[in-house]
Every structure is written in C-alpha cells, then in structure tokens.
Amino acid sequence: MTVVTVSNPSLPADWRDFFALTKPRVMRSVVFTALCGMLAAPVSLPPVLAFTAILAIALAAGAAGALNQWYESDIDALMKRTAKRPLPAGKMERETALQFGVALGVFSVLLMGLAINILAAVLLAVSILFYVLVYTVGLKRLTPQNIVIGGAAGAFPPLIGWVAATGSVSALPLLMFAIIFLWTPPHSWALALLIRDDYAKGGVPMLPVVASAKTTRAQMLFYTVLMTAAAISPWPLGLAGSLYGIVASVLSAIFLGLTVWVVVQRAETPATMKAERWLFVYSIGYILAIFATLATDRCLA
Amino acid sequence: MNELPDPTSQAALVRKRQRARATVLAIILFAFVILVFAISIAKIKAGMPGMPHQ
C-alpha cells in the first residue's frame, strides 16, 4: 500500500479535517435510517436515551468512515472524487486518523453499552468491524462483489436503532436491514457506471470496471427485484399498514422502472448515461422516503 | 519555485489551529458532561435496572 505523506508535518490538522474524516454525508443517512428504526419500534425510549443511542450510532459511523479513509488513503489519492479528502490532500498524518477512528469507535460502543443496552453495543461493534475489516480491508480491493457483501455494513443502523429501543431483534428490523442491503448494489453500481474510469484509475475492482456494463445492469435489475420484494413485504406480513404498503409499492415500482430503463438504454459513455444518473439520484430519495414512511406508518398505528 | 514558509506566520497558524482544536474539544467535553448528567436523570426517572440504588 502506498503511504501518503503530509505536505506540512509541523502543522496540526484543523478540527474541520477531523470532521471531514467522519464522512458527514454518510453519517447523515445513517442517523436518519437509525432514527426510523427506532421510531418504528413498538417501545419508545426517553428522549435523552434516544438521543444518546442515535449519537452513539452517528459516532460509530464516523469512526468507520475515519478508519476507511485511513486504510484507503492510497486509493483516494488516485481518484478524482476522493483526492481532496484530508489524508490524500496531505492535511493530516495517517497515524492521527487511525488514532481518531479507533478512539471514536471504542467510545461509541462504550456509550451505547453503558447508556442503552449490551445487544445494541455488540451490533454497533460488529457494524464498525464489518465495515472496516470485511469491506474496506477484505473485500474492496479483492472482488467486484465488494459492495454486495459490504452493503451489510450500511444496513445495520435501523436494526441497531430498533434494538436500542427494544433490546431484541424481530422480523421488521431484519426486513429493514434487508431493504438497505438489497438497495446498495443498484445504488452503488449506478454511480460506478458513471465514474467507472475513476474507479479503474484507483484500481478498485468495481463490477463495471471488471465486467461489461451489460453484466452490471443485469445484476442491478436482479437486486432491484429482490429489493422491491423486501420493501413491500412488511405490508402483506402485517408488520406495516396500508399507508406504507401503497407508498412502498409505488416508489419501488418507479425504482424498478428506472432500473429497466438503465438496462434497455445501453449507454456506453458516462455523458450519455442519463438513466444511470436518474437512478442514482432517485435511489437516495427512495431509501429516505421508504424509511420515513415506515416510521410514520408505525407511529400512526 | 518552492519558497520556504515564513516562520512567524507558520507559528501563528499552528497556534490558531491548536486554539481552535482546544476550543472544540472543550465544547465537546462540556456537552458530554451534560449528557452523562441527563442520562443519569433519565435512568433514575425511568427506574431502569442497572442503577446502583434500585
């Protein structure tokens, strides 16, 4: 692994660089889905404890992001999308990022364990370790299925939110886990098709880099069909009401329609990949809307 | 051509960053103390197990 050195070692990193290391955008969606998992639970926590649980989940996401950037600083330096991050930009020493990530991760798990419950803390620790060791260290540079298996890391937050409130796991949080897990491949591959050259430059074996666009699109469709089934299933299973069922059906049908458009369009260059662009943007709104509707539906029930 | 940084401005920048980091850390520590206090009160009110006096 290439080691990126800092441009000015005597200059301490700015606090904003530490903040950037936590991947605030990812953290925002983690907090949102965790909150939805917590709101969907049949038990409600006192507001202070609910805030603490969400804070612990956010800090764990930040720790995972920091450790991911620590390990991937060599790849990040090669890719246009990530070259301005604190480590490849030379704003911080790698060792500092490692210490920050480990400290934040340990603190978040201890906070969850001491203030909320042990099961939530264990799941939180597993989610950090899964993202860092299984996805970042193990899979990302090894296999084009990296984001399929690694997608599990991003699927933990609603499950942990639910467990923080109830102290146990049941069918609905597992379905919420499944929705994000199955949503990750079409979402990530839509972006990967658009910035295929950037991933190739970084040596990351994303599916569009090592396989044809046709293969990628076929796999996107496969996972979208599974995701649609998972997203609608809480309704017929009696775990959510008709409000969620109708909204999930309509939104998933649009998602499926956009994926079919991606498959039939067969654009070759990023400039002409209009369908992929639409799908990527829509997929972000989709996951937020699905979880917001599920939480609303369960709160109204 | 690479120019050496002015030592005075460099030292001022280091001090500025150290001060900013110390301020942020102080705010975070203060917020954490408040949070621990609030968690304790919430647990006592809720009568949750695990409290020493329960």
Side-chain angles (χ1 to χ4, degrees):
Chain A
M1 183 167 50
T2 312
V3 175
V4 179
T5 52
V6 292
S7 56
N8 191 345
S10 63
L11 200 61
D14 194 84
W15 67 268
R16 292 173 194 84
D17 297 325
F18 286 97
F19 184 63
L21 211 57
T22 62
K23 297 191 179 180
R25 280 186 191 174
V26 176
M27 196 195 276
R28 218 160 42 197
S29 59
V30 164
V31 165
F32 183 79
T33 54
L35 189 63
C36 289
M38 190 180 280
L39 291 172
V43 184
S44 64
L45 278 174
V48 171
L49 297 183
F51 171 79
T52 306
I54 295 295
L55 178 68
I57 294 169
L59 295 178
L67 292 170
N68 169 274
Q69 289 191 47
W70 161 75
Y71 190 78
E72 290 186 348
S73 59
D74 57 334
I75 297 179
D76 286 348
L78 300 172
M79 292 171 63
K80 195 178 160 191
R81 189 173 68 93
T82 52
K84 286 180 182 171
R85 284 177 176 175
L87 290 175
K91 294 176 183 170
M92 186 187 282
E93 289 188 46
R94 286 186 79 238
E95 205 174 301
T96 308
L98 174 64
Q99 290 163 352
F100 176 69
V102 171
L104 202 59
V106 170
F107 177 77
S108 67
V109 172
L110 286 177
L111 181 65
M112 186 68 101
L114 293 172
I116 310 299
N117 63 58
I118 298 298
L119 182 58
V122 169
L123 286 172
L124 199 62
V126 169
S127 71
I128 299 172
L129 294 173
F130 192 91
Y131 185 70
V132 177
L133 298 179
V134 178
Y135 172 68
T136 306
V137 178
L139 299 170
K140 189 156 181 184
R141 298 168 196 241
L142 195 72
T143 166
Q145 296 299 314
N146 48 17
I147 55 101
V148 177
I149 307 161
F156 272 102
L159 178 63
I160 299 170
W162 177 289
V163 171
T166 63
S168 62
V169 179
S170 60
L172 186 58
L174 289 175
L175 277 173
M176 293 167 95
F177 180 96
I179 294 167
I180 300 184
F181 180 70
L182 296 166
W183 164 89
T184 306
H187 166 76
S188 303
W189 285 333
L191 176 68
L193 281 165
L194 290 165
I195 57 165
R196 181 174 42 192
D197 293 346
D198 215 17
Y199 278 119
K201 213 191 296 175
V204 183
M206 292 296 282
L207 191 59
V209 175
V210 298
S212 65
K214 190 183 169 187
T215 306
T216 306
R217 287 170 179 140
Q219 292 213 29
M220 284 168 73
L221 185 60
F222 172 72
Y223 284 105
T224 302
V225 170
L226 294 180
M227 181 207 72
T228 300
I232 298 170
S233 63
W235 187 24
L237 289 173
L239 300 169
S242 52
L243 168 70
Y244 173 77
I246 293 164
V247 173
S249 302
V250 172
L251 294 179
S252 300
I254 296 170
F255 198 118
L256 194 56
L258 284 171
T259 312
V260 170
W261 184 25
V262 165
V263 172
V264 298
Q265 187 198 227
R266 295 174 192 169
E268 285 302 320
T269 58
T272 57
M273 289 179 182
K274 207 172 161 186
E276 281 81 354
R277 217 173 291 275
W278 271 98
L279 178 63
F280 177 70
V281 172
Y282 179 79
S283 66
I284 298 168
Y286 169 84
I287 203 72
L288 299 179
I290 284 282
F291 275 84
T293 310
L294 184 57
T296 307
D297 184 278
R298 296 273 304 178
C299 287
L300 293 175
Chain B
M1 191 174 72
N2 289 330
E3 284 181 26
L4 288 171
D6 174 17
T8 318
S9 63
Q10 181 82 354
L13 186 59
V14 169
R15 271 200 302 277
K16 190 183 162 195
R17 287 206 176 170
Q18 284 173 335
R19 203 176 300 124
R21 277 169 61 163
T23 305
V24 170
L25 194 60
I27 292 168
I28 289 170
L29 285 174
F30 181 72
F32 181 62
V33 169
I34 300 288
L35 181 66
V36 171
F37 177 74
I39 290 169
S40 307
I41 298 294
K43 287 219 171 201
I44 291 166
K45 273 190 180 173
M48 286 185 174
M51 296 302 294
H53 63 279
Q54 291 285 312

